[in-house]
Short mmCIF file of all heavy atoms in Angstrom, two decimals:
data_model
loop_
_atom_site.label_atom_id
_atom_site.label_comp_id
_atom_site.label_asym_id
_atom_site.label_seq_id
_atom_site.Cartn_x
_atom_site.Cartn_y
_atom_site.Cartn_z
N LEU D 1 -15.61 -15.63 14.14
CA LEU D 1 -14.87 -16.83 13.73
C LEU D 1 -15.74 -18.04 14.00
O LEU D 1 -16.25 -18.23 15.11
CB LEU D 1 -13.55 -16.91 14.50
CG LEU D 1 -12.61 -18.08 14.18
CD1 LEU D 1 -12.21 -18.08 12.71
CD2 LEU D 1 -11.36 -18.01 15.07
N ARG D 2 -15.90 -18.87 12.96
CA ARG D 2 -16.75 -20.05 13.09
C ARG D 2 -15.96 -21.23 13.69
O ARG D 2 -14.78 -21.39 13.39
CB ARG D 2 -17.31 -20.45 11.73
CG ARG D 2 -18.25 -19.42 11.11
CD ARG D 2 -18.66 -19.80 9.70
NE ARG D 2 -17.52 -19.72 8.78
CZ ARG D 2 -16.90 -20.75 8.25
NH1 ARG D 2 -17.30 -21.98 8.53
NH2 ARG D 2 -15.89 -20.58 7.43
N GLU D 3 -16.64 -22.02 14.49
CA GLU D 3 -15.96 -23.13 15.14
C GLU D 3 -15.40 -24.13 14.12
O GLU D 3 -14.34 -24.71 14.34
CB GLU D 3 -16.92 -23.84 16.10
CG GLU D 3 -16.25 -24.87 16.98
CD GLU D 3 -17.14 -25.35 18.10
OE1 GLU D 3 -18.31 -24.91 18.16
OE2 GLU D 3 -16.67 -26.15 18.93
N GLU D 4 -16.12 -24.28 12.99
CA GLU D 4 -15.65 -25.25 11.99
C GLU D 4 -14.37 -24.79 11.29
O GLU D 4 -13.73 -25.57 10.59
CB GLU D 4 -16.74 -25.54 10.96
CG GLU D 4 -17.32 -24.32 10.28
CD GLU D 4 -18.57 -23.82 10.95
OE1 GLU D 4 -18.67 -23.95 12.20
OE2 GLU D 4 -19.45 -23.30 10.25
N ALA D 5 -13.99 -23.50 11.47
CA ALA D 5 -12.75 -22.99 10.87
C ALA D 5 -11.53 -23.27 11.74
O ALA D 5 -10.39 -23.07 11.30
CB ALA D 5 -12.86 -21.49 10.63
N LEU D 6 -11.75 -23.74 12.98
CA LEU D 6 -10.64 -24.01 13.89
C LEU D 6 -9.89 -25.28 13.49
O LEU D 6 -10.49 -26.19 12.92
CB LEU D 6 -11.17 -24.15 15.32
CG LEU D 6 -11.83 -22.90 15.91
CD1 LEU D 6 -12.39 -23.22 17.29
CD2 LEU D 6 -10.87 -21.74 15.97
N PRO D 7 -8.60 -25.36 13.79
CA PRO D 7 -7.75 -24.32 14.38
C PRO D 7 -7.44 -23.21 13.37
O PRO D 7 -7.24 -23.50 12.19
CB PRO D 7 -6.49 -25.07 14.80
CG PRO D 7 -6.44 -26.25 13.89
CD PRO D 7 -7.86 -26.63 13.60
N MET D 8 -7.42 -21.97 13.85
CA MET D 8 -7.20 -20.82 12.98
C MET D 8 -5.98 -20.02 13.45
O MET D 8 -5.91 -19.62 14.61
CB MET D 8 -8.43 -19.91 12.98
CG MET D 8 -8.26 -18.60 12.22
SD MET D 8 -7.91 -18.83 10.43
CE MET D 8 -9.54 -19.39 9.86
N ILE D 9 -5.04 -19.81 12.54
CA ILE D 9 -3.92 -18.92 12.83
C ILE D 9 -4.46 -17.50 12.90
O ILE D 9 -5.18 -17.04 12.02
CB ILE D 9 -2.83 -19.03 11.75
CG1 ILE D 9 -2.26 -20.46 11.73
CG2 ILE D 9 -1.71 -18.02 12.00
CD1 ILE D 9 -1.30 -20.71 10.58
N LEU D 10 -4.14 -16.80 13.97
CA LEU D 10 -4.63 -15.45 14.19
C LEU D 10 -3.77 -14.42 13.47
O LEU D 10 -2.74 -14.75 12.90
CB LEU D 10 -4.67 -15.15 15.69
CG LEU D 10 -5.53 -16.12 16.52
CD1 LEU D 10 -5.38 -15.83 18.01
CD2 LEU D 10 -6.99 -16.02 16.11
N GLY D 11 -4.22 -13.17 13.50
CA GLY D 11 -3.44 -12.09 12.91
C GLY D 11 -3.98 -11.61 11.58
O GLY D 11 -4.23 -12.40 10.68
N CYS D 12 -4.17 -10.28 11.48
CA CYS D 12 -4.60 -9.65 10.23
C CYS D 12 -3.46 -8.92 9.53
O CYS D 12 -3.47 -8.80 8.31
CB CYS D 12 -5.72 -8.63 10.50
SG CYS D 12 -7.17 -9.28 11.34
N ASP D 13 -2.52 -8.41 10.32
CA ASP D 13 -1.50 -7.49 9.80
C ASP D 13 -0.15 -8.16 9.68
O ASP D 13 0.26 -8.93 10.56
CB ASP D 13 -1.34 -6.30 10.76
CG ASP D 13 -2.60 -5.48 10.91
OD1 ASP D 13 -3.55 -5.71 10.15
OD2 ASP D 13 -2.62 -4.61 11.80
N ALA D 14 0.57 -7.81 8.61
CA ALA D 14 1.93 -8.33 8.46
C ALA D 14 2.71 -7.52 7.45
O ALA D 14 2.14 -6.90 6.54
CB ALA D 14 1.91 -9.80 8.04
N ALA D 15 4.01 -7.55 7.61
CA ALA D 15 4.95 -7.05 6.60
C ALA D 15 6.07 -8.08 6.49
O ALA D 15 6.42 -8.74 7.47
CB ALA D 15 5.50 -5.69 7.00
N GLY D 16 6.60 -8.21 5.28
CA GLY D 16 7.65 -9.21 5.07
C GLY D 16 8.14 -9.20 3.65
O GLY D 16 8.14 -8.15 2.98
N HIS D 17 8.55 -10.37 3.17
CA HIS D 17 9.08 -10.49 1.81
C HIS D 17 8.15 -11.34 0.96
O HIS D 17 7.65 -12.38 1.42
CB HIS D 17 10.47 -11.16 1.83
CG HIS D 17 11.53 -10.32 2.48
ND1 HIS D 17 12.03 -10.58 3.74
CD2 HIS D 17 12.18 -9.21 2.03
CE1 HIS D 17 12.95 -9.69 4.03
NE2 HIS D 17 13.06 -8.84 3.02
N ASP D 18 7.90 -10.89 -0.29
CA ASP D 18 7.13 -11.73 -1.21
C ASP D 18 8.02 -12.81 -1.80
O ASP D 18 9.20 -12.94 -1.43
CB ASP D 18 6.45 -10.87 -2.28
CG ASP D 18 7.42 -10.21 -3.25
OD1 ASP D 18 8.64 -10.56 -3.25
OD2 ASP D 18 6.99 -9.35 -4.04
N GLU D 19 7.47 -13.58 -2.72
CA GLU D 19 8.21 -14.72 -3.25
C GLU D 19 9.45 -14.31 -4.05
O GLU D 19 10.36 -15.12 -4.27
CB GLU D 19 7.28 -15.55 -4.13
CG GLU D 19 6.19 -16.25 -3.31
CD GLU D 19 5.19 -16.98 -4.21
OE1 GLU D 19 5.08 -16.61 -5.39
OE2 GLU D 19 4.54 -17.92 -3.71
N ASP D 20 9.50 -13.03 -4.50
CA ASP D 20 10.66 -12.53 -5.24
C ASP D 20 11.62 -11.76 -4.35
O ASP D 20 12.58 -11.17 -4.85
CB ASP D 20 10.19 -11.62 -6.39
CG ASP D 20 9.34 -12.35 -7.41
OD1 ASP D 20 9.67 -13.52 -7.71
OD2 ASP D 20 8.34 -11.78 -7.89
N GLY D 21 11.36 -11.75 -3.05
CA GLY D 21 12.25 -11.07 -2.12
C GLY D 21 11.96 -9.60 -1.92
O GLY D 21 12.70 -8.92 -1.20
N ASN D 22 10.87 -9.10 -2.53
CA ASN D 22 10.52 -7.69 -2.35
C ASN D 22 9.92 -7.45 -0.97
O ASN D 22 9.21 -8.31 -0.44
CB ASN D 22 9.51 -7.26 -3.42
CG ASN D 22 10.03 -7.43 -4.83
OD1 ASN D 22 11.10 -6.92 -5.17
ND2 ASN D 22 9.30 -8.17 -5.65
N GLU D 23 10.17 -6.27 -0.40
CA GLU D 23 9.59 -5.90 0.88
C GLU D 23 8.16 -5.42 0.66
O GLU D 23 7.93 -4.51 -0.14
CB GLU D 23 10.44 -4.82 1.56
CG GLU D 23 11.84 -5.30 1.88
CD GLU D 23 12.66 -4.27 2.64
OE1 GLU D 23 12.18 -3.13 2.82
OE2 GLU D 23 13.78 -4.61 3.07
N VAL D 24 7.22 -6.02 1.38
CA VAL D 24 5.80 -5.75 1.11
C VAL D 24 5.02 -5.63 2.41
O VAL D 24 5.44 -6.07 3.48
CB VAL D 24 5.17 -6.86 0.25
CG1 VAL D 24 5.84 -6.94 -1.12
CG2 VAL D 24 5.24 -8.22 0.96
#
């Protein structure tokens, strides 16, 4: 991670809802 990219939200993995409400 480059310093110029900070502040950076961490996390690679996720599951949730897309813009149409589908589970993804």
Side-chain angles (χ1 to χ4, degrees):
L1 182 59
R2 295 174 292 108
E3 189 168 3
E4 54 266 33
L6 297 177
M8 174 61 72
I9 298 173
L10 302 174
C12 303
D13 298 350
H17 293 105
D18 68 11
E19 292 175 337
D20 298 321
N22 300 306
E23 297 184 354
V24 297

